[in-house]
Each structure stands twice: as structure tokens, then as C-alpha cells.
């Protein structure tokens, strides 16, 4: 087994997902994952704190991409423009390869409540990361929290649509559309028009 | 130990909270909780699936109160009016006694990531419960999901303000104010006015 592997993290993720789909999450050990990736257990634990984390590394990366893009947005950008900048930045992480992995992940996570809880923790961290980045721009506290919730809902809806759509459709298109759909509805929370569609 | 105790659930909750605060969540056993409540382990497990659940029974109750109130709202109620009805219904569960318990709960949960994950799961279930109740009224899918997220954020903010405020302030007042604060901001997601406050 090679001790030095520049693509170790990705190999471990791929091996873990394949094994989780084949044998179930519960019945897969870290040793089996490392073995399938042609690496050893120590290498696994250099990259992931536990077996659950191997499924959620992408969320940590996205949280950083979101926050960096919001911080880098022009000083006069609206909240919607900040979120659009975040999703545009996320586009680099949303490759067709990631899309195939995401489909497997959905299956694995749906079958295990412990994984659902970890997924919610990651979702909450992404929300907090967006809130903090908006707050740093001088956005008032409630608007920052609302913007982060609406942004994460737009992101979730965009991922669902991106997964359902054919290959080749860029994620950023779905993200912009989902955000726009929510923005229209957010402006109408107290209207009667959409309650009986 | 009395086998039949009409207030067993509440006694177990109180005993658990006190022990968690005194000795820490990790170091408290179900046997100790039952003992403090003058009940036995079997009674504990008739009321709660595990040690974590003793902290989150209120969320299940609130999810039911929210959904029932939304279903019972007048046919022409707006989304905001549906959420207001939900919070008004929740008021019965938000007693000064609950407020004292909630303060202890915040301390216990903040110290334990496992509990935070369970809290997020309950939060997600409450959101889904509101979404489902809105959907049943004919609210379109995206509006229902947005309304549930905004509603749960309003609820969270209202609980924070209710905890910080002096005793005697009814929860429903904070809930109505938080919802109104968010509604104003939701209508302005694309404006430049609030980004630099």
C-alpha cells in the first residue's frame, strides 16, 4: 500500500461510497474502505475523523466557498447578489463526477438516521457560515439569518433539480433559478395569491 | 417506587434535566434519572426511546400543535396568518415552567455535539411538519418549504427573545413580532437598504 497518495482523499471517498452502497453503511468498516482504496487505516484517519465524515467532506468545502464568495462580493451587492456569488463559486465543486457521487450518497444517507443527523449538522454549519459572512458585510442580524436560511433552501432545491436533470446542465443555472423562485415567493408571504395554486 | 404515576413523564424530564446540569449528560445514566424521579427504568423506556429523547419531547408536541393549527386555519388565510395561528397554538406549551426548563436545556445541549445533532433532527421534523400542513392546504411546494423555513426561524428567534426577556411576557407576543420582523426583510431580499445598517 502506498503511503503517499496525492489523491488519497478522493480514493477513500469513492471506495467508501461504493462499499456503503454494496454492503450497507453499518456493515462497512474503515479497514475495508482503506483496503478497497489500496491505502491503510492510518491514512483514512489522517483525512477523516470518523466513518461518517467520509460522506460529508464536500459540505465543509462548500461552506468555505460560500463564505469566501460572499466576503469577496462588491460592497454594494444586495443580499440576493451575495447568494448568487456564493452559488457561482460553488459551481466548481458541482462536477458531473460529484453528481454521480451525490446520487449514491442520497441512497446511503436515506437508509441511516445517524447519517441524517450528521447531514443536518453540516447543513447547520453551512447556514452559520453564510450568516457570519453576511454579518461581516454589515448586514443586520435578522436579515443575515434569514438570508442564510433562504440561501440554503435555494441551494437544497437547486441540488435536487440538478440531480433530476440530465447530465451537462451546469449547477449554477439551477441555483440562480431556485433563488429567483424563492425570492418571488418571499416577497409575497402575506399575499393570498399562492395559497391555492 | 410507584408503577402508576400520571405525571411520570414530566417527573422524568425534570429529574433528567437536573442531573444533566449537576453531573453532565454523559455521566448521567437512565437508572439515575428514574431513581431521582422515584420511578424505575422500565417506566423511563415506556416514555422515551433513549436518554437523548428525554430532552426533546417538547419538539414533538410543538410539531403536532403547529400542524394542527395550520390545518384548522380559515381557508383564505395567508401563509403569514397560518404561521401566526401555529405560534398562537404553541403558546399553551410555552409556560414559565417550560421557560425555566428551556434555559437548563440550552446549557446541556450546548455542551454535547450528539445532543446538538438530535436537536437539529427535531428541528428538521418540525419544519417538515409545517411544510406538510401548508401543502395540504394547497400551498405550492416551494412556498410551503419557504414558509416552513421562515416560520421555524421566526420560532427560533422568538424563543431566544422569550428566554432573554423577563418572566411573564407571553411567548405569542415574541412570536408575532419575530415573524413580522422577518416578513419585512423577506420582502426586501433584493434591496440595498439593509445591507449596511
Amino acid at each position: 500500500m502506498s503511503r503517499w497518495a496525492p489523491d488519497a482523499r478522493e480514493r477513500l471517498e469513492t471506495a467508501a461510497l461504493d462499499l456503503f452502497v454494496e454492503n450497507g453503511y453499518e456493515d462497512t468498516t474503515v479497514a475495508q474502505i482503506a483496503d478497497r482504496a489500496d491505502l491503510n487505516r492510518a491514512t483514512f484517519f489522517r483525512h477523516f475523523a470518523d466513518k461518517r465524515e467520509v460522506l460529508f467532506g464536500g459540505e465543509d468545502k462548500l461552506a468555505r466557498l460560500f463564505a469566501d464568495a460572499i466576503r469577496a462580493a462588491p460592497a454594494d451587492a444586495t443580499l440576493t447578489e451575495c447568494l448568487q456569488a456564493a452559488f457561482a463559486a460553488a459551481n466548481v465543486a458541482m462536477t458531473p463526477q460529484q453528481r454521480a457521487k451525490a446520487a449514491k450518497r442520497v441512497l446511503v444517507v436515506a437508509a441511516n438516521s445517524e447519517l441524517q443527523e450528521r447531514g443536518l449538522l453540516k447543513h447547520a454549519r453551512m447556514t452559520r457560515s453564510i450568516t457570519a459572512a453576511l454579518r461581516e458585510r454589515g448586514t443586520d442580524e435578522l436579515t443575515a439569518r434569514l438570508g442564510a436560511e433562504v440561501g440554503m433552501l435555494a441551494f437544497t432545491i437547486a441540488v435536487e433539480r440538478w440531480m433530476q436533470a440530465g447530465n451537462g446542465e451546469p449547477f449554477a443555472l439551477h441555483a440562480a433559478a431556485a433563488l429567483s423562485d424563492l425570492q418571488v415567493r418571499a416577497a409575497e408571504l402575506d399575499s393570498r395569491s399562492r395559497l391555492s395554486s
Side-chain angles (χ1 to χ4, degrees), chain A:
Chain A
M1 292 188 200
S2 56
R3 275 182 59 82
W4 187 78
D7 55 350
R9 193 182 169 90
E10 208 184 307
R11 275 162 56 192
L12 287 163
E13 282 175 353
T14 304
L17 265 178
D18 288 345
L19 284 165
F20 294 162
V21 170
E22 286 164 29
N23 307 328
Y25 170 80
E26 296 282 5
D27 292 335
T28 301
T29 65
V30 166
Q32 288 168 336
I33 295 168
D35 196 47
R36 173 75 67 104
D38 203 18
L39 296 161
N40 56 38
R41 278 179 91 255
T43 305
F44 181 94
F45 287 114
R46 266 201 297 280
H47 289 277
F48 305 102
D50 58 35
K51 194 173 72 166
R52 284 201 277 179
E53 279 299 307
V54 73
L55 285 162
F56 295 107
E59 269 81 353
D60 295 337
K61 189 178 166 186
L62 282 171
R64 282 193 300 275
L65 285 171
F66 285 166
D68 290 347
I70 291 169
R71 287 194 189 98
D76 68 342
T78 63
L79 200 151
T80 302
E81 286 164 353
C82 288
L83 295 175
Q84 279 163 348
F87 297 151
N91 205 43
V92 301
M94 310 304 268
T95 59
Q97 203 179 7
Q98 280 302 322
R99 192 169 161 271
K101 273 195 195 172
K104 287 185 190 169
R105 254 183 43 158
V106 168
L107 286 177
V108 174
V109 173
N112 187 296
S113 68
E114 197 188 291
L115 293 176
Q116 285 159 38
E117 292 191 7
R118 181 65 61 97
L120 290 168
L121 190 69
K122 294 291 179 174
H123 185 101
R125 282 196 188 146
M126 288 165 85
T127 309
R128 275 205 295 274
S129 171
I130 296 174
T131 307
L134 288 172
R135 211 186 273 130
E136 282 174 37
R137 298 176 60 84
T139 309
D140 80 85
E141 177 67 20
L142 287 198
T143 305
R145 288 171 74 174
L146 177 69
E149 292 289 351
V150 172
M152 282 304 292
L153 180 57
F155 178 74
T156 304
I157 290 165
V159 170
E160 290 168 6
R161 292 178 178 174
W162 178 62
M163 304 269 294
Q164 280 160 20
N167 254 321
E169 281 202 37
F171 173 76
L173 276 186
H174 292 291
L179 187 57
S180 163
D181 289 349
L182 290 180
Q183 204 185 310
V184 171
R185 284 162 176 81
E188 291 179 355
L189 280 185
D190 207 27
S191 82
R192 281 163 218 281
S193 62
R194 288 189 181 265
L195 271 170
S196 311
S197 57

